[in-house]
Amino acid sequence: SIRDQLSWLEACRVHLGEAAVPIFEHMYYSESSPPALLDGLLDEALKMPPELASRVFERAWPTVQNRVKRRIAGARHAAGDLVGTRHLQSELSSSSPEVIAEAIGLLMKGEVDEVLEDLVRLIEHSDATVRATTAMALASVRTDNTTNLLMILTQDPDWTVKVVALKALAERGERSELERLYGRLQTAIGSELTVLLKALGEIRDG
């Protein structure tokens, strides 16, 4: 069964290391492998070190598309392969916020310096999900530059984005914006008060 085959592939990945690469390749490129097996094989292969996962899918790169290509690009990027990096950077121009958010997450698994300029552009994206994902990515990189960018995001009109930025800044000892929020509690009423309490609670619990 497919479940048994995937369990066997997991054992190969765990116990054989690099020697598992040709096994994964053989099954991935076999015309007899059903789609359900290929989906599971992709998931399992991407648990390998990025350099090994990239080798499994090297031949497939010209023909794979959409999310499969994006996930393989993530492995290539994490392995230091600029082909993967460039593909993910191109995905940041997608019309789909979900695609952009996934691309950001994959880019953050590799060399971050390569993509900081891309993140700077995204802090003004029209979609709040993209801006929140960007804030989370910036939060994982502790530099003066990212601190300044997070300060900008504390002024974001969307509270999800604002909370992510405030949490990150508080962890860095930058509490001025957080203290300003506490100050607003004294005059806030109605829906603003509800949102403020929720946001501050999330920051405290985080």
Side-chain angles (χ1 to χ4, degrees), residues 2 5-7 9-11 13-14 24 28 34-50 52-54 56-57 67-72 75 102 106 109:
I2 289 176
Q5 287 176 296
L6 291 176
S7 295
L9 283 171
E10 180 184 19
R13 174 182 62 81
V14 171
F24 275 73
Y28 190 76
L37 175 62
L38 296 180
D39 290 342
L41 187 151
L42 174 67
D43 292 337
E44 195 61 47
L46 290 175
K47 296 175 185 176
M48 291 176 162
L52 300 185
S54 297
V56 172
F57 302 110
R67 187 162 189 256
V68 172
K69 194 171 191 105
R70 192 157 52 249
R71 296 179 71 195
I72 295 172
E102 184 176 23
L106 291 167
K109 294 179 181 179

Side-chain angles (χ1 to χ4, degrees), residues 98-178:
E98 291 76 17
V99 168
I100 297 173
E102 184 176 23
I104 292 171
L106 291 167
L107 282 166
M108 296 310 293
K109 294 179 181 179
E111 181 52 57
V112 175
D113 289 343
E114 291 279 339
V115 299
L116 276 179
E117 288 187 13
D118 298 292
L119 296 179
V120 171
R121 288 192 290 271
L122 290 173
I123 66 173
E124 295 183 351
H125 195 276
S126 60
D127 187 85
T129 300
V130 171
R131 299 197 304 277
T133 306
T134 302
M136 286 186 276
L138 292 169
S140 68
V141 184
R142 292 192 174 223
T143 67
D144 290 342
N145 189 27
T146 58
T147 296
N148 292 335
L149 293 171
L150 288 165
M151 291 291 284
I152 294 171
L153 286 168
T154 63
Q155 307 303 314
D156 194 279
D158 185 89
W159 277 96
T160 302
V161 180
K162 191 188 295 282
V163 166
V164 172
L166 286 167
K167 278 183 181 179
L169 289 169
E171 290 172 358
R172 301 181 189 196
E174 300 282 348
R175 303 187 64 86
S176 58
E177 291 298 321
L178 187 57

Side-chain angles (χ1 to χ4, degrees), residues 13-67:
R13 174 182 62 81
V14 171
H15 298 293
L16 298 182
E18 185 174 4
V21 170
I23 298 172
F24 275 73
E25 285 183 298
H26 173 74
M27 294 187 71
Y28 190 76
Y29 298 108
S30 171
E31 294 183 1
S32 63
S33 294
L37 175 62
L38 296 180
D39 290 342
L41 187 151
L42 174 67
D43 292 337
E44 195 61 47
L46 290 175
K47 296 175 185 176
M48 291 176 162
E51 297 82 1
L52 300 185
S54 297
R55 284 169 51 189
V56 172
F57 302 110
E58 187 172 358
R59 279 191 286 151
W61 179 256
T63 56
V64 291
Q65 298 178 339
N66 302 321
R67 187 162 189 256

